[in-house]
């Protein structure tokens, strides 16, 4: 389970949903939040394209256009001179050279544009997004509709802490591997409770517990990097690992209290 900050999506998604369904919900939250708020709202015809990925593709196309234009202009200017130098007998330069260079440049731009559009298209297109939306109904919370700004800030703090735990333990760590699925489930349960009770107290406590867990992981890892692992250092390391793991178990268990 990979945690992430909201990045402006303004939606919290049930971690039990399939990955593609979750991705479609986040995309709709960025582009067409009205279809998430109102089940009767029609799904736009362009819902099969992710504008965020389209923007990345457009930047790539722009780079290709600039480079292709520069290279093409250089070839158009240099090729006649090179060929003239190679044909001292005065034979005319073939007339197809410059149009061929222009055609190659145009083809390069067209191919990069097509690749950019295809990368921004959701697998299955608009029909797939519609299916994902139907499956996701009731499994997401929206800023404004379900959570007020104060509750959203509390959730964002907890989600950021979870993302930092995931990043800190992505490679090597001396503590037991965090149960990311259990952490995500606890976060979702507390987010639902927050939407129902309009109180962020439980989520604030969860976020603080995850931050303690993160601090414990960092402390244990710092001890593991000391030059020696014998005597008191080893014992201190084992104690730090147990404290970190206990903090992780406590954070996971907090959802059962609501």
């Amino acid at each position: 389970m990979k945690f992430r900050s909201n990045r402006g999506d303004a939606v919290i998604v049930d971690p039990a949903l399939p990955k593609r369904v979750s991705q479609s919900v986040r995309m709709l939250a960025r582009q067409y939040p009205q279809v998430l708020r109102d089940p009767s709202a029609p799904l736009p015809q362009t819902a099969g394209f992710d504008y965020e990925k389209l923007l990345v593709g457009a930047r790539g196309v722009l780079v290709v256009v600039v480079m292709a234009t520069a290279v093409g202009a250089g070839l158009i200017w240099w090729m006649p001179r090179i060929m003239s130098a190679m044909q001292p007998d005065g034979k005319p330069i073939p007339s197809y050279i410059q149009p061929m260079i222009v055609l190659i440049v145009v083809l390069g731009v067209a191919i990069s544009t097509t690749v950019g559009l295809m990368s921004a298209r959701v697998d299955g297109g608009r029909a797939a997004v519609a299916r994902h939306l139907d499956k996701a109904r009731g499994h997401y919370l929206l800023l404004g509709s379900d959570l007020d700004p104060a509750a959203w800030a509390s959730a964002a703090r907890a989600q950021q802490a979870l993302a930092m735990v995931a990043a800190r333990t992505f490679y090597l760590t001396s503590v037991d591997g965090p149960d990311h699925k259990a952490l995500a489930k606890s976060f979702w349960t507390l987010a639902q409770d927050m939407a129902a009770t309009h109180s962020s107290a439980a989520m604030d406590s969860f976020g603080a517990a995850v931050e303690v867990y993160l601090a414990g992981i960092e402390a244990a890892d710092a001890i593991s990097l000391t030059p020696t692992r014998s005597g008191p250092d080893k014992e201190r390391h084992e104690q730090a690992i147990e404290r970190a793991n206990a903090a992780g178990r406590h954070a996971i268990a907090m959802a059962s209290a609501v």
Side-chain angles (χ1 to χ4, degrees), residues 29-159:
R30 291 193 303 270
Q31 298 175 193
Y32 312 108
Q34 70 276 8
V35 302
L36 297 178
R37 294 191 176 93
D38 183 5
S40 64
L43 189 64
Q45 294 296 322
T46 55
F49 288 91
D50 188 332
Y51 293 166
E52 191 175 71
K53 293 182 179 178
L54 192 62
L55 179 60
V56 173
R59 290 172 179 168
V61 171
L62 180 61
V63 171
V64 171
V65 169
V66 172
M67 293 181 64
T69 301
V71 172
L75 288 175
I76 289 174
W77 191 83
W78 277 104
M79 282 298 289
R81 289 160 176 78
I82 294 173
M83 296 191 69
S84 296
M86 295 173 62
Q87 300 183 63
D89 53 0
K91 290 183 179 180
I93 299 172
S95 59
Y96 62 81
I97 293 296
Q98 292 184 349
M100 182 179 67
I101 294 172
V102 173
L103 178 61
I104 292 173
V105 170
V106 171
L107 283 175
V109 172
I111 291 172
S112 64
T113 301
T114 302
V115 171
L117 288 173
M118 292 303 295
S119 65
R121 184 177 184 273
V122 177
D123 289 342
R126 179 178 177 275
V129 174
R131 292 194 301 271
H132 295 167
L133 178 58
D134 289 339
K135 189 171 185 177
R137 293 291 186 192
H139 293 274
Y140 55 80
L141 300 172
L142 295 169
L143 171 62
S145 300
D146 303 299
L147 300 173
D148 59 32
W152 186 261
S154 177
R157 174 194 173 190
Q159 207 165 28

Side-chain angles (χ1 to χ4, degrees), residues 151-240:
W152 186 261
S154 177
R157 174 194 173 190
Q159 207 165 28
Q160 180 64 26
L162 290 169
M164 292 176 68
V165 167
R168 189 69 180 80
T169 58
F170 186 78
Y171 292 108
L172 296 176
T173 180
S174 58
V175 303
D176 295 339
D179 189 342
H180 295 306
K181 289 185 178 180
L183 286 167
K185 184 178 179 180
S186 295
F187 172 77
W188 172 246
T189 300
L190 292 169
Q192 288 179 299
D193 176 74
M194 189 166 55
T197 63
H198 304 289
S199 171
S200 63
M203 182 63 80
D204 288 337
S205 297
F206 176 73
V210 175
E211 289 172 350
V212 171
Y213 182 31
L214 175 64
I217 293 172
E218 292 175 339
D221 288 345
I223 295 173
S224 71
L225 296 176
T226 54
T228 62
R229 293 287 302 280
S230 60
D233 281 346
K234 183 177 180 181
E235 181 180 353
R236 190 161 62 96
H237 184 223
E238 290 174 349
Q239 292 173 349

